[in-house]
């Protein structure tokens, strides 16, 4: 019989695995239900993020859970019978028996962790655990987490280019159409990898080849209209900041949901009394009028805000660009 908390001599990650495995076996966690995230495990069991990641990786290898981007780790749809408790002590794999390790595998594993759990859950040890290799193996390929994040970002930005949606003869000629294609391509990448927007502030640009592919597309759309170099680059930065500035909230919302256990709608519902008190105070009449006019409340839609902001920016910039 599987012990709920594992044997006393088991490493911490195996005790965590045993507890979650038993919850799944008892039906407390059903297929599709979220299991605790790495951050929640670390806080609840008082372990490091790498240990929490190793526990989730073990459950994933057993087929009990699966990672779903921006949702987190959930109970697998078809849950196999709980595996027997692992041996209390596993010898470290010998160097010649470790799975083949490559830089590409390391980067892809790191991206998967960041997509599912957020950038804060990423660690070199966690990546090694996910790949089933010794903790220090990854350092032979990447010297630090900071270097790994840059490699992840370059790989993510390289997954789509503005020109991918067009043949050479079909590339938009008008500057506005080209800007829209470039901005929407970037927005799609940030949507797919929300952690991208939080890597670096606007004042410290990422000098990555695959990000520069997107920059080259935008700059070439603005070039040739008589703009001085400073104005041209300012417009480019302004457009990029619109995309990145909204995208930051994708990861912030995911972090807030993981920390509170409440969805955006649930959080707003819990603040209804506070909102009503502000409306009834009489101090903010315009706010009260606007909020009171919503039939079903206000739904903050980042995609709609992206479209609205992009259109307004381009409308305002048209006289400057077309001078």
């Amino acid at each position: 019989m599987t012990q709920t908390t594992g044997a006393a001599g088991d490493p911490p990650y195996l005790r965590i695995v045993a507890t979650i495995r038993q919850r799944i076996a008892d039906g407390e966690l059903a297929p599709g239900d979220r299991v605790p995230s790495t951050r929640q495990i670390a806080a609840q069991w008082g372990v490091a993020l790498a240990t929490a990641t190793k526990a989730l990786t073990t459950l994933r290898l057993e087929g009990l859970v699966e990672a779903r981007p921006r949702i987190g780790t959930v109970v697998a749809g078809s849950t196999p019978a709980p595996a027997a408790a692992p041996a209390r002590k596993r010898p470290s794999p010998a160097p010649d028996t470790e799975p083949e390790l490559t830089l590409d595998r390391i980067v892809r594993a790191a991206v998967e962790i960041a997509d599912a759990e957020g950038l804060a859950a990423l660690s070199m040890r966690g990546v090694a655990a996910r790949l089933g290799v010794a903790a220090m193996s990854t350092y032979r390929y990447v010297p630090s987490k900071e270097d790994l994040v840059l490699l992840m970002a370059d790989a993510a930005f390289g997954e789509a280019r503005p020109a991918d949606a067009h043949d050479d003869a079909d590339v938009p000629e008008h500057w506005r159409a080209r800007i829209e294609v470039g901005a929407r391509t970037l927005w799609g990448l940030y949507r797919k990898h929300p952690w991208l927007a939080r890597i670096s502030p606007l004042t410290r640009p990422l000098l990555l080849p695959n990000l520069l592919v997107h920059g080259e597309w935008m700059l070439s759309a603005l070039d040739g209209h008589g703009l001085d170099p400073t104005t041209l680059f300012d417009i480019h930065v302004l457009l990029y900041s619109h995309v990145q500035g909204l995208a930051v909230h994708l990861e912030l919302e995911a972090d807030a949901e993981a920390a509170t256990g409440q969805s955006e709608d649930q959080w707003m519902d819990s603040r209804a009394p506070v909102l009503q008190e502000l409306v009834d105070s009489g101090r903010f009449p315009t706010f009260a009028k606007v909020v009171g006019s919503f039939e079903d409340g206000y739904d903050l839609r980042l995609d709609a805000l992206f479209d609205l902001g992009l259109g307004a920016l381009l409308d305002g910039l048209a006289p400057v660009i077309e001078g």
Side-chain angles (χ1 to χ4, degrees):
M1 182 176 177
T2 305
Q3 297 185 43
T4 303
T5 58
D10 283 346
Y13 85 94
L14 287 182
R15 295 199 294 272
I16 296 168
V17 167
T19 300
I20 296 176
R21 187 194 295 119
Q22 190 64 49
R23 292 177 65 191
I24 295 173
D26 292 343
E28 182 182 343
L29 291 172
D33 286 350
R34 287 181 60 176
V35 299
S37 67
T38 52
R39 281 167 284 190
Q40 290 169 333
I41 289 174
Q44 182 177 349
W45 272 274
V47 296
L49 286 174
T51 301
T53 300
K54 191 172 184 179
L56 289 180
T57 298
T58 301
L59 289 166
R60 181 174 59 83
L61 292 175
E62 291 181 5
L64 292 171
V65 302
E66 58 189 17
R68 294 182 184 173
R70 305 324 305 159
I71 295 177
T73 303
V74 302
V75 178
S78 179
T79 308
R88 294 189 183 182
K89 186 175 182 181
R90 293 180 178 177
S92 298
D96 59 350
T97 63
E98 287 186 359
E100 181 183 357
L101 195 60
T102 64
L103 181 59
D104 181 63
R105 285 190 66 210
I106 292 171
V107 172
R108 282 190 287 111
V111 169
E112 289 172 2
I113 292 173
D115 284 348
E117 298 289 342
L119 200 61
L122 180 70
S123 70
M124 298 292 283
R125 286 182 176 272
V127 173
R130 190 179 188 89
L131 293 172
V133 300
M136 299 303 292
S137 297
T138 53
Y139 287 98
R140 297 202 301 265
Y141 297 84
V142 189
S144 68
K145 176 182 173 180
E146 290 72 24
D147 293 294
L148 177 58
V149 170
L150 292 178
L151 291 171
M152 292 163 55
D154 195 46
F157 282 121
E159 290 179 3
R161 301 174 305 164
D164 289 343
H166 304 275
D167 298 327
D168 290 341
D170 190 36
V171 172
E173 293 185 5
H174 195 271
W175 67 269
R176 180 166 183 146
R178 287 176 64 87
I179 291 294
E180 288 178 344
V181 168
R184 294 185 193 286
T185 302
L186 271 177
W187 179 249
L189 290 174
Y190 281 126
R191 262 295 194 188
K192 185 178 180 182
H193 306 291
W195 49 270
L196 270 176
R198 298 183 66 184
I199 291 176
S200 179
L202 192 66
T203 52
R204 302 188 181 193
L206 295 169
L207 302 178
L208 304 172
N210 283 325
L211 178 56
L212 196 54
V213 168
H214 297 271
E216 177 69 17
W217 175 274
M218 303 289 265
L219 289 170
S220 66
L222 297 169
D223 194 24
H225 292 86
L227 298 171
D228 65 86
T230 299
T231 301
L232 188 153
F233 212 82
D234 282 348
I235 293 174
H236 164 59
V237 172
L238 181 62
L239 291 166
Y240 177 76
S241 71
H242 170 63
V243 184
Q244 185 200 33
L246 280 178
V248 164
H249 299 285
L250 298 169
E251 180 84 345
L252 287 174
E253 171 55 30
D255 286 346
E257 185 169 342
T260 64
Q262 293 179 313
S263 69
E264 178 187 349
D265 289 339
Q266 290 171 330
W267 186 88
M268 285 300 300
D269 289 343
S270 71
R271 299 302 185 273
V274 178
L275 176 62
Q276 191 61 50
E277 183 179 345
L278 290 171
V279 169
D280 294 341
S281 70
R283 296 172 57 197
F284 315 104
T286 307
F287 174 77
K289 181 183 71 173
V290 173
V291 170
S293 68
F294 296 130
E295 294 182 1
D296 299 313
Y298 175 70
D299 184 16
L300 196 155
R301 301 156 297 158
L302 290 178
D303 290 306
L305 286 177
F306 168 78
D307 288 334
L308 177 64
L310 180 62
L313 269 174
L314 295 179
D315 287 344
L317 290 170
V320 179
I321 295 172
E322 297 175 353

